[in-house]
Amino acid sequence: MQWLKAIIGFILITIVSSKPALAEKVSIAVGDWPPYLSEQLKHNGIIGHLLHDLFKEAGYELTLSFYPWSRAYSLAKIAKQDMTGVWMLKPEREEDFHYSDPVLNEQFVFFHLKSTQFDWQSLDDLTGLVMGGGSEYSYGPEFDQALSAGKITIERVPTKYQNWRKLLLGRIAIYPEEINVGYSSLKQLYPKDKVDLVTHHPKPLLNNVSYLLFPKSADTSLRRLKDFNKQLHAFRKSGRYNMYFKKFREGYYDK
């Protein structure tokens, strides 16, 4: 009977050892930012899809938790969420977070009505123009410095709807926004005849890079950051990263 017990024991050990390890669960606090991040889009948008697959390949089970942006940031800061994203680089954020490698390249432009004659080459050209913008939103260090110096002014409102409404009514002349975010929100809010009234200036206001932030208050952050960066590098090297943006241009995430 000893040999039978030995065989049964060997089988049990084999079964247990062959079971796949459970994926470590992690959560990212994000804000609504279509077409990149949204609860209403397929796979939570292109960045939602990319982050989910990156962590899955790295051995994690990811949950995206949607909050107002300020709430997402504060929850991650105190490690109530494992990460937050995506955010542009600002020195004060480095006090609380480790930055990942770049996740998203963005381009901010000035939107205006086609009926408005608008051209600019430097921020000095914006003096005297009525400009809309988002509450507590940064449009880059050069813009923020010009704003603080009083060279330019901006009328800030909480929602994109308010900015688009003011632009269409002629209450503001220009509206800075990330190009894909701008057109996505405009098409969601208005019919085609209204959308066709709007264009953007070809000169970028800001070419920006956004990152995933890992809280310094969590002991697990550096390990997870290393795993994430390694997988992100593999996606870029293999060309898989670019496939998400190919799908995006084809309208895959709008379905």
Side-chain angles (χ1 to χ4, degrees), residues 101-120:
D101 288 343
V103 175
L104 174 66
N105 295 320
E106 308 160 16
Q107 185 179 92
F108 284 78
V109 296
F110 285 111
F111 287 91
H112 62 92
L113 295 177
K114 291 177 180 177
S115 59
T116 300
Q117 297 297 315
F118 170 68
D119 191 21
W120 79 289

Side-chain angles (χ1 to χ4, degrees), residues 82-244:
D82 298 314
M83 293 150 271
T84 182
V86 289
W87 299 85
M88 71 170 62
L89 182 64
K90 294 186 75 173
E92 58 267 32
R93 292 174 182 160
E94 294 183 273
E95 297 177 8
D96 302 309
F97 291 98
H98 304 290
Y99 276 77
S100 73
D101 288 343
V103 175
L104 174 66
N105 295 320
E106 308 160 16
Q107 185 179 92
F108 284 78
V109 296
F110 285 111
F111 287 91
H112 62 92
L113 295 177
K114 291 177 180 177
S115 59
T116 300
Q117 297 297 315
F118 170 68
D119 191 21
W120 79 289
Q121 295 304 316
S122 73
L123 293 177
D124 291 336
D125 297 328
L126 308 180
T127 301
L129 287 176
V130 183
M131 177 168 31
S135 298
E136 300 181 7
Y137 205 91
S138 172
Y139 297 97
E142 185 180 357
F143 185 98
D144 293 345
Q145 186 177 2
L147 197 61
S148 297
K151 294 181 179 180
I152 57 176
T153 58
I154 188 169
E155 295 183 1
R156 296 186 182 272
V157 291
T159 68
K160 292 179 177 61
Y161 168 74
Q162 290 169 290
N163 274 309
W164 286 124
R165 184 172 183 272
K166 291 172 72 174
L167 186 71
L168 290 167
L169 290 173
R171 294 178 182 172
I172 57 175
I174 54 176
Y175 170 35
E177 181 57 275
E178 203 281 331
I179 188 167
N180 291 317
V181 172
Y183 281 116
S184 175
S185 60
L186 183 62
K187 290 174 182 177
Q188 283 183 337
L189 293 167
Y190 289 99
K192 187 177 185 301
D193 63 322
K194 295 291 186 182
V195 174
D196 288 343
L197 298 175
V198 177
T199 188
H200 70 276
H201 194 280
K203 176 181 170 61
L205 165 63
L206 174 69
N207 288 308
N208 182 55
V209 179
S210 287
Y211 307 82
L212 199 58
L213 305 186
F214 294 73
K216 290 183 176 180
S217 58
D219 295 336
T220 53
S221 286
L222 286 177
R223 172 175 57 82
R224 291 167 174 171
L225 172 63
K226 182 179 178 180
D227 291 342
F228 176 79
N229 283 342
K230 180 179 178 181
Q231 201 61 53
L232 178 59
H233 175 75
F235 270 40
R236 288 186 181 276
K237 186 176 181 180
S238 69
R240 184 171 175 182
Y241 176 91
N242 292 331
M243 292 302 298
Y244 294 85

Side-chain angles (χ1 to χ4, degrees), residues 3-95:
W3 63 270
L4 183 58
K5 291 180 180 179
I7 291 174
I8 293 172
F10 174 77
I11 292 173
L12 289 174
I13 292 172
T14 302
I15 291 172
V16 171
S17 62
S18 65
K19 292 178 70 174
L22 293 176
E24 182 177 342
K25 294 183 179 181
V26 292
S27 59
I28 299 180
V30 298
D32 191 69
W33 196 39
Y36 296 123
L37 288 161
S38 176
E39 290 182 284
Q40 308 305 318
L41 293 175
K42 189 171 184 179
H43 296 295
N44 293 139
I46 177 176
I47 295 302
H49 194 193
L50 174 64
L51 292 175
H52 177 272
D53 288 355
L54 279 167
F55 276 101
K56 183 178 180 181
E57 292 294 323
Y60 295 86
E61 182 182 335
L62 176 67
T63 299
L64 263 65
S65 301
F66 283 84
Y67 299 95
W69 280 105
S70 58
R71 179 70 172 156
Y73 187 93
S74 62
L75 286 173
K77 178 180 174 179
I78 59 174
K80 293 294 185 181
Q81 291 280 320
D82 298 314
M83 293 150 271
T84 182
V86 289
W87 299 85
M88 71 170 62
L89 182 64
K90 294 186 75 173
E92 58 267 32
R93 292 174 182 160
E94 294 183 273
E95 297 177 8

Side-chain angles (χ1 to χ4, degrees), residues 42-43 49 246-255:
K42 189 171 184 179
H43 296 295
H49 194 193
K246 181 176 183 294
K247 287 181 177 181
F248 168 71
R249 291 189 295 271
E250 294 169 351
Y252 173 80
Y253 296 100
D254 296 333
K255 296 176 183 178

